[in-house]
Amino acid sequence: MGLVARALEETGISTLVLTAAHSITKAANPPRATYVDMPLGYTAGKPHDQEFQKQLLRSALTLGTSIESPGTIVDTGIKWSEDPSWKDKASSGLNNGVVSAEGDTRSERVDVPQYQSEEDRQAAEN
Amino acid sequence: MQVVFTIYLRTCDDRDMNSSIEPVDYIARTREQYSALGYQPYEWAERPDPPAWVPLTKPLEESRILLLGSGGAYKRGQVAFHWKDDTGIRLIPSDQPATDVRVTHFAYDLEPARSDPNIVFPLDRLNELVQEGFIKSLTPQSLAFMGGIYSVRRTEEELIPALIKEIEAMEIEIDLALLVPV
């Protein structure tokens, strides 16, 4: 997403990246980014916790739009939990970070549409 | 530029990435895991040169926001993304509830986002922030794609130009693009 942000900014659009992957965003170096201490897959909050999600967005927008130096990542202070133990197994791409005997637990990258449900497939094809 | 660089370092580098109270270093962990699996090292996009900079000209309450999400969101009735470097884009109407927003992606646990797509594509919450007056409006369409593209070249030559084309076709003033990866 950092590359997209850089490209959009080059076309004249101000951008703000919301990220839970600090290292990846730092490497791509977008103009403005706000960090949330959330697991991957939960960048914009906890499911069905509307107030948490909204506060996350308010914080990110307020802090992100106050950035004055290109390439800054601001920490929102928003976190998944006071207990950081979820990070012990967190990984990017390899589901839940378990390598060991299970090997690569990612889903196979197939080149046909991957619908959420069969009903979705029918809705798209009809 | 020297000043900018110094601030950046202070903001981002003075962290002990091995401590669990600090952000997870996904680059380091992925390298370790690829190595353990006998894979070639994964190449992360690195852009040390300073990014372009377009100053913000309006306060949030006067700003129109474009939401872009790379969590693989699509709308019921649209063709879903495939998982092998799909560089396609789905336009999702911003003025409708996220009820019919679906997600598909190979690299994160989809169950929570399928239960509540707002955690990767926060359309409902942004609409509520419009109603509250925190932001002024959203663009009529939001943009969704599937960020698991393992080719930087295809990201830069296919996805990004297509995104720019869709944004230009909106023919609308955008004050801020909010990008939500997973």
Side-chain angles (χ1 to χ4, degrees), chain A residues 26 48 53 71 87 119, chain B residues 8 13 29 54 76 115 125:
Chain A
K26 186 177 136 191
H48 306 291
Q53 293 172 11
K87 296 180 183 180
E119 197 273 334
Chain B
Y8 174 61
D13 280 357
R29 289 202 186 178
V54 180
R76 182 182 172 277
S115 169
R125 299 296 89 75

Side-chain angles (χ1 to χ4, degrees), chain B residues 8 30 34 53 69 84 126 170 173:
Chain B
Y8 174 61
T30 302
Y34 268 51
W53 183 255
K84 196 166 186 181
L126 286 171
M170 291 179 181
E173 189 181 340

Side-chain angles (χ1 to χ4, degrees), chain A residues 114-116, chain B residues 83 101 103-105 110-117:
Chain A
Q114 298 296 305
Y115 289 95
Q116 182 167 325
Chain B
W83 290 349
V101 173
V103 295
T104 189
H105 202 292
L110 291 170
E111 193 180 330
R114 287 183 167 175
S115 169
D116 181 3

Side-chain angles (χ1 to χ4, degrees), chain B residues 58-109:
Chain B
K58 295 178 186 173
L60 281 168
E61 60 269 25
E62 293 173 22
S63 292
R64 179 188 287 127
I65 291 180
L66 164 67
L67 169 65
L68 298 99
S70 63
Y74 66 98
K75 183 115 181 162
R76 182 182 172 277
Q78 294 177 337
V79 174
F81 295 100
H82 65 70
W83 290 349
K84 196 166 186 181
D85 296 335
D86 192 332
T87 55
I89 299 167
R90 304 291 180 269
L91 274 66
I92 301 194
S94 303
D95 61 349
Q96 297 169 20
T99 320
D100 285 340
V101 173
R102 312 289 194 240
V103 295
T104 189
H105 202 292
F106 62 92
Y108 71 96
D109 179 10

Side-chain angles (χ1 to χ4, degrees), chain A residues 1 3-24 26-32 35 37-50 53-54 57-58 61-62 65 67-73 75 84 86-95 97 99 103-104 106-117 119-120 123-124, chain B residues 4 7-8 11-13 15 17 20-27 29-30 33-34 36-37 39 44-56 60 65 68-70 74 76-85 102-104 106-108 112 114-116 118-120 122 125-126 128-129 132 134-135 145 148 150 152 156 160 163-164 167 174-182:
Chain A
M1 218 30 149
L3 297 183
V4 175
R6 289 176 67 100
L8 293 188
E9 200 99 9
E10 282 169 16
T11 71
I13 298 172
S14 304
T15 63
L16 170 61
V17 174
L18 178 65
T19 181
H22 196 285
S23 57
I24 297 170
K26 186 177 136 191
N29 194 15
R32 299 172 197 80
Y35 172 71
D37 197 33
M38 301 288 286
L40 300 189
Y42 301 85
T43 315
K46 299 178 180 181
H48 306 291
D49 190 339
Q50 300 183 6
Q53 293 172 11
K54 222 159 22 172
L57 289 173
R58 285 194 202 101
L61 288 166
T62 301
T65 55
I67 290 171
E68 293 179 350
S69 304
T72 301
I73 306 176
D75 189 344
W86 65 267
K87 296 180 183 180
D88 296 344
K89 289 191 171 181
S91 77
S92 168
L94 309 181
N95 286 347
V99 175
D104 188 343
R106 282 172 298 190
S107 305
E108 186 184 353
R109 298 201 309 140
V110 289
D111 62 359
V112 293
Q114 298 296 305
Y115 289 95
Q116 182 167 325
S117 67
E119 197 273 334
D120 278 5
Chain B
V4 168
I7 292 168
Y8 174 61
T11 311
C12 305
D13 280 357
R15 294 173 178 272
M17 292 296 181
S20 61
I21 63 164
E22 299 299 347
V24 177
D25 188 345
Y26 290 104
I27 291 181
R29 289 202 186 178
T30 302
Q33 288 158 349
Y34 268 51
L37 291 163
Y39 296 170
W44 297 97
E46 295 187 29
R47 295 291 182 273
D49 48 313
W53 183 255
V54 180
L56 297 157
L60 281 168
I65 291 180
L68 298 99
S70 63
Y74 66 98
R76 182 182 172 277
Q78 294 177 337
V79 174
F81 295 100
H82 65 70
W83 290 349
K84 196 166 186 181
D85 296 335
R102 312 289 194 240
V103 295
T104 189
F106 62 92
Y108 71 96
R114 287 183 167 175
S115 169
D116 181 3
N118 286 290
I119 67 173
V120 296
R125 299 296 89 75
L126 286 171
E128 288 162 14
L129 293 184
E132 290 176 12
F134 189 81
I135 54 178
F145 53 100
Y150 282 7
V152 171
E156 294 187 324
I160 287 174
L163 285 169
I164 290 169
I167 293 167
I174 295 164
D175 299 303
L176 179 68
L178 176 65
L179 294 83
V180 182
V182 291

